[in-house]
Short mmCIF file of all heavy atoms in Angstrom, two decimals:
data_model
loop_
_atom_site.label_atom_id
_atom_site.label_comp_id
_atom_site.label_asym_id
_atom_site.label_seq_id
_atom_site.Cartn_x
_atom_site.Cartn_y
_atom_site.Cartn_z
N ILE A 101 36.32 104.82 116.40
CA ILE A 101 36.70 106.18 116.82
C ILE A 101 36.05 107.21 115.91
O ILE A 101 35.49 108.22 116.37
CB ILE A 101 38.24 106.34 116.79
CG1 ILE A 101 38.86 105.55 117.95
CG2 ILE A 101 38.63 107.82 116.89
CD1 ILE A 101 40.38 105.49 117.89
N LEU A 102 36.07 106.96 114.59
CA LEU A 102 35.42 107.88 113.64
C LEU A 102 33.92 107.95 113.90
O LEU A 102 33.31 109.04 113.86
CB LEU A 102 35.70 107.43 112.20
CG LEU A 102 37.15 107.60 111.71
CD1 LEU A 102 37.33 106.88 110.38
CD2 LEU A 102 37.48 109.08 111.55
N GLN A 103 33.31 106.81 114.17
CA GLN A 103 31.86 106.77 114.45
C GLN A 103 31.55 107.54 115.73
O GLN A 103 30.57 108.31 115.78
CB GLN A 103 31.39 105.33 114.58
CG GLN A 103 31.41 104.56 113.26
CD GLN A 103 31.20 103.07 113.43
OE1 GLN A 103 31.52 102.50 114.49
NE2 GLN A 103 30.66 102.41 112.42
N ASP A 104 32.37 107.38 116.74
CA ASP A 104 32.17 108.10 118.01
C ASP A 104 32.30 109.60 117.82
O ASP A 104 31.55 110.38 118.41
CB ASP A 104 33.18 107.63 119.06
CG ASP A 104 32.91 106.20 119.54
OD1 ASP A 104 31.80 105.69 119.28
OD2 ASP A 104 33.82 105.61 120.15
N LEU A 105 33.27 110.03 116.99
CA LEU A 105 33.44 111.46 116.71
C LEU A 105 32.20 112.03 116.03
O LEU A 105 31.75 113.15 116.37
CB LEU A 105 34.68 111.69 115.84
CG LEU A 105 36.02 111.59 116.55
CD1 LEU A 105 37.17 111.56 115.54
CD2 LEU A 105 36.22 112.76 117.53
N VAL A 106 31.65 111.29 115.10
CA VAL A 106 30.44 111.77 114.40
C VAL A 106 29.29 111.91 115.40
O VAL A 106 28.58 112.93 115.40
CB VAL A 106 30.05 110.80 113.27
CG1 VAL A 106 28.66 111.14 112.74
CG2 VAL A 106 31.05 110.89 112.12
N GLU A 107 29.10 110.91 116.23
CA GLU A 107 28.01 110.96 117.20
C GLU A 107 28.18 112.13 118.17
O GLU A 107 27.22 112.84 118.49
CB GLU A 107 27.92 109.63 117.97
CG GLU A 107 27.33 108.49 117.17
CD GLU A 107 26.01 108.83 116.53
OE1 GLU A 107 25.11 109.34 117.26
OE2 GLU A 107 25.85 108.62 115.32
N ALA A 108 29.42 112.36 118.63
CA ALA A 108 29.67 113.49 119.52
C ALA A 108 29.43 114.81 118.82
O ALA A 108 28.90 115.75 119.40
CB ALA A 108 31.11 113.40 120.05
N ASP A 109 29.82 114.87 117.55
CA ASP A 109 29.65 116.12 116.79
C ASP A 109 28.19 116.47 116.55
O ASP A 109 27.84 117.65 116.42
CB ASP A 109 30.39 116.03 115.44
CG ASP A 109 31.89 116.14 115.59
OD1 ASP A 109 32.34 116.52 116.69
OD2 ASP A 109 32.61 115.86 114.61
N ARG A 110 27.33 115.48 116.51
CA ARG A 110 25.90 115.76 116.36
C ARG A 110 25.35 116.53 117.56
O ARG A 110 24.34 117.22 117.44
CB ARG A 110 25.13 114.44 116.17
CG ARG A 110 25.31 113.84 114.78
CD ARG A 110 24.53 112.54 114.62
NE ARG A 110 24.50 112.11 113.23
CZ ARG A 110 24.67 110.86 112.83
NH1 ARG A 110 24.90 109.90 113.71
NH2 ARG A 110 24.61 110.56 111.55
N GLN A 111 26.06 116.41 118.69
CA GLN A 111 25.65 117.15 119.89
C GLN A 111 26.34 118.51 119.97
O GLN A 111 26.06 119.28 120.88
CB GLN A 111 26.00 116.33 121.13
CG GLN A 111 25.51 114.89 121.10
CD GLN A 111 24.02 114.78 120.85
OE1 GLN A 111 23.22 115.50 121.45
NE2 GLN A 111 23.63 113.87 119.97
N ARG A 112 27.25 118.80 119.03
CA ARG A 112 28.04 120.04 119.07
C ARG A 112 27.59 121.05 118.02
O ARG A 112 28.26 122.06 117.83
CB ARG A 112 29.52 119.75 118.83
CG ARG A 112 30.22 118.92 119.89
CD ARG A 112 31.72 118.91 119.62
NE ARG A 112 32.46 118.18 120.63
CZ ARG A 112 32.93 116.95 120.48
NH1 ARG A 112 32.74 116.31 119.34
NH2 ARG A 112 33.61 116.36 121.45
N ILE A 113 26.53 120.79 117.31
CA ILE A 113 26.13 121.64 116.19
C ILE A 113 26.02 123.10 116.60
O ILE A 113 26.40 124.00 115.85
CB ILE A 113 24.79 121.16 115.58
CG1 ILE A 113 24.92 119.72 115.06
CG2 ILE A 113 24.35 122.09 114.46
CD1 ILE A 113 25.96 119.51 113.99
N ALA A 114 25.52 123.36 117.79
CA ALA A 114 25.32 124.73 118.22
C ALA A 114 26.61 125.40 118.71
O ALA A 114 26.65 126.63 118.85
CB ALA A 114 24.27 124.79 119.34
N ASP A 115 27.65 124.63 118.92
CA ASP A 115 28.91 125.15 119.46
C ASP A 115 29.96 125.18 118.34
O ASP A 115 30.69 124.22 118.13
CB ASP A 115 29.38 124.26 120.62
CG ASP A 115 30.60 124.85 121.35
OD1 ASP A 115 31.26 125.73 120.79
OD2 ASP A 115 30.87 124.38 122.47
N GLU A 116 30.05 126.30 117.67
CA GLU A 116 30.93 126.42 116.50
C GLU A 116 32.39 126.13 116.84
O GLU A 116 33.06 125.33 116.16
CB GLU A 116 30.83 127.81 115.87
CG GLU A 116 31.75 128.01 114.68
CD GLU A 116 31.69 129.42 114.12
OE1 GLU A 116 30.66 130.10 114.31
OE2 GLU A 116 32.67 129.86 113.50
N ALA A 117 32.90 126.76 117.89
CA ALA A 117 34.32 126.60 118.23
C ALA A 117 34.66 125.16 118.55
O ALA A 117 35.68 124.63 118.10
CB ALA A 117 34.68 127.49 119.42
N SER A 118 33.79 124.50 119.31
CA SER A 118 34.00 123.10 119.66
C SER A 118 33.97 122.22 118.43
O SER A 118 34.79 121.30 118.27
CB SER A 118 32.96 122.64 120.67
OG SER A 118 33.13 121.28 121.00
N LEU A 119 33.04 122.47 117.52
CA LEU A 119 32.91 121.66 116.33
C LEU A 119 34.10 121.86 115.39
O LEU A 119 34.56 120.91 114.75
CB LEU A 119 31.59 121.97 115.59
CG LEU A 119 31.26 120.99 114.46
CD1 LEU A 119 31.06 119.58 115.01
CD2 LEU A 119 30.01 121.45 113.71
N VAL A 120 34.59 123.07 115.32
CA VAL A 120 35.77 123.34 114.47
C VAL A 120 36.96 122.50 114.96
O VAL A 120 37.67 121.90 114.16
CB VAL A 120 36.12 124.85 114.47
CG1 VAL A 120 37.51 125.08 113.88
CG2 VAL A 120 35.08 125.63 113.67
N ARG A 121 37.16 122.46 116.27
CA ARG A 121 38.26 121.66 116.82
C ARG A 121 38.05 120.17 116.55
O ARG A 121 38.96 119.45 116.16
CB ARG A 121 38.40 121.91 118.33
CG ARG A 121 38.94 123.28 118.69
CD ARG A 121 39.29 123.36 120.16
NE ARG A 121 38.13 123.19 121.02
CZ ARG A 121 37.35 124.20 121.42
NH1 ARG A 121 37.60 125.43 121.04
NH2 ARG A 121 36.31 123.96 122.21
N SER A 122 36.82 119.72 116.76
CA SER A 122 36.50 118.32 116.54
C SER A 122 36.60 117.96 115.06
O SER A 122 37.00 116.84 114.71
CB SER A 122 35.10 118.02 117.06
OG SER A 122 34.79 116.65 116.90
N ASN A 123 36.26 118.90 114.20
CA ASN A 123 36.35 118.67 112.76
C ASN A 123 37.81 118.36 112.37
O ASN A 123 38.07 117.46 111.57
CB ASN A 123 35.84 119.90 112.01
CG ASN A 123 35.94 119.72 110.50
OD1 ASN A 123 35.25 118.91 109.92
ND2 ASN A 123 36.79 120.53 109.87
N ARG A 124 38.75 119.12 112.94
CA ARG A 124 40.17 118.86 112.66
C ARG A 124 40.55 117.46 113.12
O ARG A 124 41.28 116.75 112.43
CB ARG A 124 41.04 119.90 113.37
CG ARG A 124 40.91 121.31 112.87
CD ARG A 124 42.07 122.17 113.37
NE ARG A 124 41.78 123.57 113.21
CZ ARG A 124 41.54 124.42 114.19
NH1 ARG A 124 41.57 124.00 115.45
NH2 ARG A 124 41.29 125.70 113.95
N GLU A 125 40.04 117.07 114.29
CA GLU A 125 40.37 115.75 114.82
C GLU A 125 39.78 114.65 113.94
O GLU A 125 40.42 113.60 113.70
CB GLU A 125 39.86 115.62 116.26
CG GLU A 125 40.10 114.27 116.90
CD GLU A 125 41.57 113.92 117.09
OE1 GLU A 125 42.44 114.78 116.86
OE2 GLU A 125 41.85 112.77 117.45
N PHE A 126 38.56 114.85 113.47
CA PHE A 126 37.94 113.85 112.59
C PHE A 126 38.81 113.63 111.36
O PHE A 126 39.10 112.49 110.98
CB PHE A 126 36.54 114.29 112.17
CG PHE A 126 35.92 113.36 111.15
CD1 PHE A 126 35.19 112.26 111.57
CD2 PHE A 126 36.06 113.58 109.78
CE1 PHE A 126 34.63 111.38 110.64
CE2 PHE A 126 35.52 112.71 108.85
CZ PHE A 126 34.79 111.60 109.29
N HIS A 127 39.20 114.72 110.71
CA HIS A 127 40.00 114.59 109.48
C HIS A 127 41.36 113.97 109.79
O HIS A 127 41.86 113.16 109.00
CB HIS A 127 40.13 115.95 108.80
CG HIS A 127 38.87 116.35 108.07
ND1 HIS A 127 38.60 115.95 106.80
CD2 HIS A 127 37.81 117.07 108.47
CE1 HIS A 127 37.42 116.44 106.42
NE2 HIS A 127 36.93 117.13 107.43
N ARG A 128 41.96 114.32 110.93
CA ARG A 128 43.24 113.73 111.29
C ARG A 128 43.11 112.22 111.47
O ARG A 128 43.95 111.44 110.99
CB ARG A 128 43.76 114.37 112.59
CG ARG A 128 45.17 113.93 112.96
CD ARG A 128 45.62 114.58 114.28
NE ARG A 128 44.97 113.95 115.44
CZ ARG A 128 45.44 112.86 116.04
NH1 ARG A 128 46.56 112.27 115.60
NH2 ARG A 128 44.83 112.36 117.08
N ARG A 129 42.06 111.81 112.13
CA ARG A 129 41.82 110.37 112.34
C ARG A 129 41.57 109.65 111.00
O ARG A 129 41.98 108.51 110.81
CB ARG A 129 40.63 110.16 113.27
CG ARG A 129 40.89 110.60 114.71
CD ARG A 129 41.81 109.60 115.39
NE ARG A 129 42.00 109.95 116.80
CZ ARG A 129 42.65 109.18 117.67
NH1 ARG A 129 43.20 108.03 117.25
NH2 ARG A 129 42.80 109.54 118.91
N LEU A 130 40.88 110.33 110.10
CA LEU A 130 40.63 109.76 108.78
C LEU A 130 41.95 109.54 108.04
O LEU A 130 42.17 108.48 107.43
CB LEU A 130 39.70 110.68 107.98
CG LEU A 130 39.40 110.26 106.53
CD1 LEU A 130 38.70 108.90 106.50
CD2 LEU A 130 38.56 111.31 105.83
N TYR A 131 42.83 110.55 108.07
CA TYR A 131 44.11 110.41 107.39
C TYR A 131 44.90 109.22 107.97
O TYR A 131 45.47 108.42 107.22
CB TYR A 131 44.97 111.67 107.55
CG TYR A 131 44.29 112.97 107.24
CD1 TYR A 131 44.69 114.16 107.87
CD2 TYR A 131 43.24 113.04 106.32
CE1 TYR A 131 44.07 115.35 107.58
CE2 TYR A 131 42.62 114.25 106.05
CZ TYR A 131 43.04 115.40 106.70
OH TYR A 131 42.42 116.59 106.42
N LEU A 132 44.95 109.14 109.30
CA LEU A 132 45.72 108.08 109.94
C LEU A 132 45.16 106.70 109.60
O LEU A 132 45.91 105.73 109.46
CB LEU A 132 45.74 108.27 111.45
CG LEU A 132 46.48 109.51 111.97
CD1 LEU A 132 46.31 109.65 113.48
CD2 LEU A 132 47.97 109.44 111.61
N ALA A 133 43.84 106.63 109.41
CA ALA A 133 43.20 105.35 109.08
C ALA A 133 43.56 104.85 107.69
O ALA A 133 43.32 103.70 107.35
CB ALA A 133 41.69 105.48 109.22
N SER A 134 44.16 105.72 106.88
CA SER A 134 44.59 105.31 105.53
C SER A 134 45.80 104.38 105.61
O SER A 134 46.06 103.63 104.67
CB SER A 134 44.95 106.53 104.69
OG SER A 134 46.19 107.10 105.11
N HIS A 135 46.54 104.46 106.71
CA HIS A 135 47.75 103.65 106.91
C HIS A 135 48.77 103.85 105.78
O HIS A 135 49.41 102.91 105.33
CB HIS A 135 47.39 102.17 107.05
CG HIS A 135 46.70 101.85 108.34
ND1 HIS A 135 47.36 101.32 109.44
CD2 HIS A 135 45.42 102.02 108.73
CE1 HIS A 135 46.50 101.16 110.44
NE2 HIS A 135 45.32 101.60 110.02
N ASN A 136 48.88 105.12 105.35
CA ASN A 136 49.87 105.47 104.35
C ASN A 136 50.60 106.72 104.82
O ASN A 136 50.08 107.82 104.75
CB ASN A 136 49.21 105.71 102.99
CG ASN A 136 50.22 105.91 101.86
OD1 ASN A 136 51.10 106.78 101.96
ND2 ASN A 136 50.08 105.14 100.80
N ARG A 137 51.81 106.54 105.33
CA ARG A 137 52.54 107.63 105.97
C ARG A 137 52.88 108.75 104.99
O ARG A 137 52.97 109.91 105.36
CB ARG A 137 53.82 107.11 106.64
CG ARG A 137 54.91 106.67 105.69
CD ARG A 137 56.02 105.92 106.38
NE ARG A 137 55.55 104.58 106.78
CZ ARG A 137 56.34 103.71 107.43
NH1 ARG A 137 57.57 104.03 107.74
NH2 ARG A 137 55.87 102.53 107.75
N TYR A 138 53.10 108.38 103.73
CA TYR A 138 53.46 109.41 102.74
C TYR A 138 52.26 110.29 102.42
O TYR A 138 52.38 111.51 102.26
CB TYR A 138 54.01 108.76 101.49
CG TYR A 138 55.25 107.94 101.76
CD1 TYR A 138 55.17 106.55 101.81
CD2 TYR A 138 56.46 108.55 102.03
CE1 TYR A 138 56.30 105.79 102.11
CE2 TYR A 138 57.59 107.81 102.33
CZ TYR A 138 57.50 106.42 102.37
OH TYR A 138 58.62 105.68 102.68
N LEU A 139 51.09 109.66 102.32
CA LEU A 139 49.86 110.43 102.10
C LEU A 139 49.59 111.35 103.28
O LEU A 139 49.25 112.53 103.09
CB LEU A 139 48.68 109.48 101.90
CG LEU A 139 47.31 110.12 101.68
CD1 LEU A 139 47.30 110.96 100.41
CD2 LEU A 139 46.23 109.06 101.61
N VAL A 140 49.76 110.84 104.49
CA VAL A 140 49.56 111.66 105.68
C VAL A 140 50.50 112.84 105.69
O VAL A 140 50.12 113.97 106.02
CB VAL A 140 49.73 110.80 106.96
CG1 VAL A 140 49.72 111.69 108.21
CG2 VAL A 140 48.64 109.77 107.05
N GLY A 141 51.76 112.62 105.28
CA GLY A 141 52.73 113.71 105.21
C GLY A 141 52.33 114.78 104.22
O GLY A 141 52.46 115.99 104.49
#
Side-chain angles (χ1 to χ4, degrees):
I101 288 172
L102 289 169
Q103 291 169 333
D104 290 345
L105 284 169
V106 169
E107 286 307 310
D109 286 348
R110 285 180 169 137
Q111 309 305 315
R112 294 189 177 102
I113 300 300
D115 187 344
E116 179 183 335
S118 178
L119 190 62
V120 167
R121 289 191 296 272
S122 182
N123 179 67
R124 293 195 195 110
E125 178 64 8
F126 175 88
H127 284 274
R128 187 181 75 86
R129 291 287 184 173
L130 177 62
Y131 311 151
L132 294 174
S134 73
H135 289 262
N136 187 306
R137 71 192 71 180
Y138 300 103
L139 179 63
V140 172

